[in-house]
Amino acid sequence: MDNQPNPPDSPGTVPAEAAPPQYPQQPPAYPTGPARQAPPPSYPAPAGPPAYPGPGAQAPPPAYPQPPAQHAAPPPPPPPTAQPRIPPQPTAPPPLDPHHISTEQRRVYLKARQRHTDATSLGTLVSYLPHFLASLAVVGLLSLLLPGNGLLSLLAVLAWLLSGLLVFHGPTESVIARRLLRLRPPTPEESARLEPVWREVAARAGIDAHTYTLWIEENDDDLNAVAAAGHIVGVTTCALNRLPNGELAAILAHELGHHVGGHAWASLLGYWYALPGRLAYRVMHLITRTALRVIMFFAFYGAGTVALFFALFLLPVVIIVGAIAYATISSLYGLPLLALLAPYALAYIGRRSELRADDHAAALGFAPMLASVLHKFQQADDAARHQAALAARQAGRKPLKQRRIAKLLATHPDHHTRLSRLKPWLQPQPPR
């Protein structure tokens, strides 16, 4: 009985063969494939099996698979393209002045003969001849006062004769422009307006524009220009700022005509050589006037006092001045007496030179512009005469009329004469 086995259904006994198998805590690690050269795109990892808790450990909450990563937010839409701007309608440029000229640079053909000496230049030198001879006599008499055996006197006379070459010397011309003519160099703004016009004038004339120097005269009331010495061309600020470039070119062409014809250097050279004689004349004139005034003053105190003073002081002075004048006139065969007629001759030649300069400007194509400038001159003169006549009437005086002798001494012809001279240039030219 003791050897009977227990019944299979008895509680508390479990056979060894019937024990459950032990499962691993983690899922088996599966082998990975060989590494690729380029990494594969990253996809969301699949969720693994849930980890079972070991004995005695609290089971963590099951790990649920994460949702796949969201794609990157799309870029914001581009801003709406701006509507194309309607270009502004081109505005018409302001109308150019009728006397406007083009100043674009172009090829220039220079003349082989840049200047010459015309008949008016030769007439100017001949008219100054009496003054020159009188000046030569004065310089010769003054040189005799120098010490020595006469060599210094001869050198002094030769130095005075050669001094006329300074008229064509650049630094001396600058001194003449600044000190005598009261001119100044142009500012950069003035040069920007003046030089293109001057280059156009010189190009039409076939003249090298760099031969001459441009100067400015501070004058806001007078439309004028000047040509002096050998290379000076000056223009007033009034003409520079108020005239259109065509009319400015016309007056510059007129002044260039004075240089091309030799009028400017002939006038300055004659004036320079006449200066000693004029100074001597003024000194003698002052002495004579002073002597007459002294005689008239002492005439109130009796004839005896006047006679005594005249004998002691004035008579020697009058004798010396008279002797110098007689020696000068007789040694030069009376030619210095022609100096009394020289102002009238020089005025006439000056008027002729102005008309020749007008012809030069008209030949370059500036006749309409020059006529317009002359009309403005005439209007300004008429207004000035009207104001003078009105002032004379208000003061109870008669208006002054220009005397005939004043017309003979005028160095410029009247505007009516100059406009009449330009009429042939203003007529339409027949087609060639």
Side-chain angles (χ1 to χ4, degrees), residues 50-133:
Y52 295 98
Q58 294 182 356
Y64 296 100
Q66 298 293 330
Q70 298 289 337
H71 293 287
T81 57
Q83 296 294 331
R85 297 181 61 186
I86 300 177
Q89 296 296 329
T91 58
L96 297 176
D97 189 271
H99 293 154
H100 179 82
I101 62 172
S102 174
T103 56
E104 296 181 358
Q105 295 187 7
R106 51 192 173 88
R107 182 175 295 181
V108 179
Y109 298 93
L110 300 180
K111 293 182 178 179
R113 188 180 182 187
Q114 293 285 296
R115 65 173 73 193
H116 60 275
T117 302
D118 60 16
T120 56
S121 301
L122 294 175
T124 300
L125 296 177
V126 172
S127 299
Y128 272 113
L129 183 60
H131 296 85
F132 168 75
L133 295 176

Side-chain angles (χ1 to χ4, degrees), residues 195-208:
E195 289 183 357
V197 179
W198 173 248
R199 286 197 299 266
E200 177 63 22
V201 172
R204 293 191 185 190
I207 302 298
D208 186 5

Side-chain angles (χ1 to χ4, degrees), residues 385-399:
R385 282 196 295 267
H386 177 72
Q387 292 293 335
L390 184 60
R393 291 192 187 96
Q394 291 177 353
R397 302 190 307 268
K398 293 182 178 181

